[in-house]
Amino acid sequence: MEQAQPKNVKFQDTLVLPLDSLDPTLLELVGGKAANLGELIHSGFSVPPGFCLTTAAYTLVSAELAPILEELSAAKAGNSARLTELAANARTALLQTPLPVQVIDAVTQAYHSLSKGTSVPVAVRSSATTEDLPSASFAGQYQTFLNVIGIEAVLSAIRQCWASLWDERAVIYRQSLGIDPRSVQVAVVIQQLVEAQVAGVIFTANPLTGKRRQSVIDASGGLGEAVVSGTTNPDHFMVNTPTGQILERRLGDKRVAIHSKAGGGTERIELPQGEELTACLSDPQLQALARLGGEIEARFGVPQDIEWAFDQDQHLWILQTRPITTLFPLPLADDTSPGDENLRVYLSFNVQQGTSRPFTPMGTSAIRLLASVITTLIGYPPSSPLEGPPFINETAFRIFFDVTNALRTRIGRNLLSNILAQAEAQASLTFQQLASDPRLSLKPGRKLPLLLAVRRLLLSTRLPLYLPLTLLSPRFAQTRFLRFIEELRITNQPGIEATSADGYLLQLEQLFSKATPRLVSRSAPVMLGSLATFQLATCLLGKLATESELQTVVRGAPYNPTTEMNLALWSLAEEVQAEEATAHLVSNTSPTHLAEDYHQNSLPPILQTGIARFLATYGHRAIAELDLGLPRWSEDPTYVFSILSSFLQLKESGSIGDGEFQSAVTEAEAMIRELSHRAKHQNWWRGLVVNFCLRRARALSGLREMPRFALTLLLAQTRTLLWPVGEKLAHQGHLEKADDIFFLTLPEAHIALAGTDMRTVVSLRRSDYEQELTRRHIPLVLLSDGTEPVLESLGTGSAPAGVLQGTAASAGRLTGRARVIFDPTDAQLVPGEILVAPTTDPGWTPLFLSAGGLVMETGGAMSHGAIVAREYGIPAVVGVPGATSRIVTGRQITVDGSAGTVFLEQNQQ
């Protein structure tokens, strides 16, 4: 069947379109502002009549910009002087280019049709294709002209709107978002001007706190430009959207107003002082605005920033609407909920696992299936295993666990706080703080279901048998893991049932259902034994040991696959260094080129075989490795070559490298003897128990990384099974290319195999995913009312000026230059610099051999980054809120890993 042509294809060469003919499918032709206005009109909202000069007109005049845009695309984001210069060149070129005759004729005809032959006042506004989008609003960065009268004035305003696309602020902002300047287009909206008696803006969610269903309204007399531009001090109101209750009323002096001027343009009017302040909006008007804002938000699906005006007849007009892009999106069910009485609490799985990157849809789908198998183990099978249990939520391509039910029971609260205390200190403290919120009051809990779940878990994992064996012999636990891992390595061979793409999906689902229980069975004794022995030793020692001394015990722990991985790559660097020509090749060739040569089997033998040996053991790993949608190192070893090159530089500079690990082992053994000796002074049995517990805690501390190592191997094997599915769908024309399969979910993969074309779905998701890659802040804990809990006992508010407080993770004190890194892929870390990161996962840890210290915004003493930092003996402070924003690259800081503090040099504040 022939598919209908999209509207933007039908109108792609059209110069002028009426506003009431627009909708979001025309975004590339009319820009965000115009597309939103068209959607408002179709939904029945009052929007001033007008038309849009499309991007087709801009294309006719922007050909002269091609050389400038090439230079802009190549310019570095940090080079503001060069960006400013190129932006000015682009504006000048546009302003000097004559308007094409066909543009003049089209605008003249449309203006005369709107004004019915008279010179009606209009508003002329820019509408860029990157403007007023859910991911970027560009609020206030493009030009608007009010009270424009006559065709000559309209044409002049259009030219100015085009030029404003290259305002230096907009250019720098686009560059920071990674938007290619060659892809940007601009349309222009021409609307009949509303002679406003009072105008302003309404935010349908509180832009400061994120609280949903709380309308914030700023208003002043005259045109809304006075409010939008900040020219006047407006009246400020806050309204509960569902109830209409006015929560806050703060009157501004409104000393400045902007009104239309006779003959065109606007004028600023200074109002007399000393008059009694009165509100420019009545209560019914405020409530009407809040209701209208709620309706517009419901129409667009996300909180909106809306400009409005009451005219002289008290008719309410909507002038424009754009998403509030600064708010982190909520799950749809919460974003549209009529009230916040039933508060939900979400914990970020991404952040807790050391990655702030978005997950691909297939990566999230795999986590849903994994969770389904685990909950089935304890007797709570979900209704749909592929959809996962109901506590898994997704927003902004990130996974959030709904922990509300657990927080509303006493046992659940204690479990969450205790489990997260070592792995994610901020979350643990946040949950303790939330316990006082009346919306999370305890509910009567039934003990029988919990006891049954524990019983099922004990039986399914055979924990009563394997926990004692693990405590008696950590090597036994390691052997169980290694045997399981070796069995996993051969499971990517197609089974008998995998004779079709559907068969591969079936084998994938069976692999999860069979392997996950075995993984849990091997993980539970290690995790429980590690925590129990460490806590028991801590309690028995009491004041005999400091936190720093206890951390020393678990330094250089054996059986840690992440440490072994980094040391294996270090050993390869030693081999390469011994062969001068190969070392020179690695140091002077781009990692991308080296990766290509590796796949072509054209590297020098020592390097080719060394990398192959490394990837045979660790090739299933990656940065953000819990997302199976991302390539493994075995597929793309570029990052491995980058780290190998940096290791060679470390060796050339004489840095210690792996020597720190051997020192850590010696220090840990000495500390165990010392602490056992102190305990023995109390009585001999306490010394024996402390010695046993510390040695087991140390051994099992390294094994705590083994479950993740095995899980990433499981994900890599399932990724292998998905490739033939993607290849078949691409061959059938249901996907553009094979790796598009990772932008579908497992249920959608079944739908695609049944014959549904998923190309449009994938295209849209890829675009949204790319935008999400630029998001810097991901809430660790998010509430369903839109707010992010602020810790009262941790962060900059409770520490002296110039001091950031976090959690002590690895003992030691170091002063050095900070290096803020958000993505390790192309990171350049000078040996000895202090790595400052939002969070880290095992894919980051090769950088730790170069780092002099570590600061992380999230994490706890037993998080991945903290464990590896201790093993390499570098001071580390984790769980430091706002670290990546308070600390800038190059700043001199001091990391005190024993006290959990980071000191900023005062003269750089």
Side-chain angles (χ1 to χ4, degrees), residues 467-481:
L467 179 57
L469 291 174
T470 297
L471 292 175
L472 286 172
S473 174
R475 187 173 292 278
F476 165 78
Q478 183 200 31
T479 301
R480 287 187 75 210
F481 261 119

Side-chain angles (χ1 to χ4, degrees), residues 512-849:
F512 265 96
S513 65
K514 293 176 181 177
T516 303
R518 299 180 65 201
L519 175 59
V520 173
S521 174
R522 284 151 180 77
S523 304
V526 168
M527 304 302 285
L528 185 58
S530 173
L531 288 171
T533 52
F534 190 82
Q535 288 300 320
L536 180 56
T538 301
C539 291
L540 290 174
L541 285 166
K543 295 182 179 180
L544 295 176
T546 65
E547 181 67 27
S548 177
E549 289 174 326
L550 289 169
Q551 288 179 4
T552 301
V553 168
V554 291
R555 288 190 60 195
Y559 314 129
N560 187 328
T562 301
T563 305
E564 292 170 354
M565 173 187 76
N566 296 335
L567 294 178
L569 196 55
W570 181 265
S571 296
L572 177 57
E574 290 180 328
E575 294 179 33
V576 170
Q577 188 186 37
E579 195 171 273
E580 185 176 348
T582 304
H584 183 270
L585 174 71
V586 173
S587 298
N588 294 278
T589 307
S590 73
T592 302
H593 191 188
L594 289 171
E596 292 171 354
D597 288 347
Y598 169 75
H599 284 306
Q600 294 172 7
N601 201 31
S602 61
L603 292 172
I606 191 172
L607 183 58
Q608 185 76 31
T609 58
I611 290 292
R613 183 176 65 247
F614 176 84
L615 294 178
T617 304
Y618 303 106
H620 63 280
R621 309 210 76 167
I623 298 167
E625 61 192 2
L626 293 186
D627 179 5
L628 71 74
L630 296 183
R632 309 289 107 175
W633 288 340
S634 57
E635 300 173 57
D636 181 7
T638 301
Y639 180 64
V640 176
F641 281 107
S642 176
I643 294 298
L644 184 64
S645 176
S646 69
F647 282 1
L648 287 174
Q649 293 175 23
L650 273 176
K651 287 183 171 295
E652 291 172 3
S653 66
S655 299
I656 297 175
D658 61 344
E660 287 289 350
F661 179 76
Q662 300 305 323
S663 299
V665 173
T666 302
E667 290 178 20
E669 292 291 342
M671 184 58 67
I672 290 175
R673 291 193 296 270
E674 170 61 25
L675 295 181
S676 301
H677 181 71
R678 293 179 194 175
K680 189 176 180 180
H681 272 295
Q682 300 288 324
N683 54 62
W684 67 270
W685 68 264
R686 178 174 292 192
L688 288 176
V689 175
V690 165
N691 183 69
F692 175 82
C693 286
L694 290 179
R695 291 191 180 281
R696 288 302 177 266
R698 170 176 161 71
L700 296 177
S701 173
L703 278 175
R704 282 168 59 108
E705 291 287 293
M706 194 66 85
R708 174 143 181 170
F709 184 85
L711 175 59
T712 54
L713 179 58
L714 171 60
L715 294 174
Q717 303 301 70
T718 57
R719 180 177 167 86
T720 303
L721 292 170
L722 281 168
W723 274 109
V725 181
E727 289 167 353
K728 178 174 182 179
L729 290 173
H731 178 74
Q732 292 176 336
H734 298 157
L735 293 177
E736 289 290 343
K737 51 187 184 298
D739 68 349
D740 283 347
I741 187 66
F742 300 110
F743 281 84
L744 298 179
T745 64
L746 284 170
E748 288 169 343
H750 284 287
I751 293 173
L753 288 173
T756 302
D757 188 342
M758 304 298 287
R759 287 176 296 179
T760 301
V761 170
V762 168
S763 176
L764 293 172
R765 283 185 183 161
R766 280 191 178 274
S767 176
D768 292 342
Y769 178 86
E770 290 296 323
Q771 289 294 336
E772 281 299 327
L773 286 171
T774 66
R775 192 186 291 275
R776 287 287 180 243
H777 175 67
I778 311 300
L780 173 60
V781 178
L782 182 66
L783 305 184
S784 61
D785 64 4
T787 60
E788 184 179 348
V790 178
L791 281 175
E792 298 171 357
S793 57
L794 191 64
T796 57
S798 60
V803 179
L804 305 182
Q805 186 66 48
T807 299
S810 180
R813 185 181 175 98
L814 176 78
T815 299
R817 281 166 41 92
R819 175 74 62 176
V820 180
I821 296 177
F822 292 96
D823 185 344
T825 305
D826 300 313
Q828 297 295 323
L829 189 66
V830 176
E833 286 185 325
I834 297 170
L835 171 61
V836 181
T839 185
T840 63
D841 72 357
W844 286 67
T845 58
L847 294 175
F848 289 17
L849 276 171

Side-chain angles (χ1 to χ4, degrees), residues 23-241:
D23 61 44
T25 66
L26 295 169
L27 175 65
E28 294 182 4
L29 189 63
V30 301
K33 184 182 280 90
N36 289 348
L37 288 173
E39 189 70 11
L40 287 170
I41 294 171
H42 295 159
S43 302
F45 296 102
S46 291
V47 174
F51 61 92
C52 175
L53 180 65
T54 69
T55 57
Y58 174 78
T59 300
L60 291 175
V61 299
S62 60
E64 299 295 325
L65 297 183
I68 300 173
L69 300 189
E70 287 294 332
E71 291 187 70
L72 266 175
S73 65
K76 295 183 178 179
N79 191 347
S80 57
R82 181 58 175 159
L83 292 175
T84 298
E85 177 189 359
L86 291 171
N89 293 343
R91 292 195 303 273
T92 300
L94 276 175
L95 291 173
Q96 291 178 349
T97 301
L99 286 176
V101 174
Q102 60 266 48
V103 172
I104 296 174
D105 290 344
V107 172
T108 300
Q109 182 178 347
Y111 177 69
H112 287 161
S113 176
L114 176 66
S115 63
K116 295 182 173 56
T118 63
S119 294
V120 64
V122 294
V124 181
R125 308 174 190 270
S126 305
S127 180
T129 53
T130 54
E131 183 182 14
D132 293 352
L133 305 179
S135 56
S137 72
F138 288 83
Q141 295 196 26
Y142 299 134
Q143 283 281 14
T144 290
F145 298 92
L146 302 178
N147 196 33
V148 179
I149 301 175
I151 187 59
E152 292 301 326
V154 169
L155 293 172
S156 176
I158 288 171
R159 192 192 295 270
Q160 293 291 337
C161 284
W162 286 341
S164 74
L165 184 66
W166 304 107
D167 180 270
E168 64 182 79
R169 292 178 304 158
V171 168
I172 292 173
Y173 182 44
R174 285 196 297 266
Q175 201 87 342
S176 71
L177 294 177
I179 298 174
D180 188 338
R182 294 166 296 186
S183 68
V184 181
Q185 299 281 312
V186 63
V188 181
V189 172
I190 295 93
Q191 283 179 287
Q192 189 170 315
L193 183 71
V194 175
E195 289 294 349
Q197 183 183 63
V198 59
V201 296
I202 175 173
F203 297 92
T204 65
N206 192 316
L208 298 180
T209 66
K211 191 172 181 63
R212 272 39 170 201
R213 298 172 292 277
Q214 195 175 79
S215 299
V216 177
I217 301 169
D218 284 350
S220 184
L223 299 176
E225 182 65 18
V227 176
V228 175
S229 65
T231 303
T232 191
N233 182 18
D235 288 346
H236 177 82
F237 308 93
M238 192 180 299
V239 182
N240 182 298
T241 306

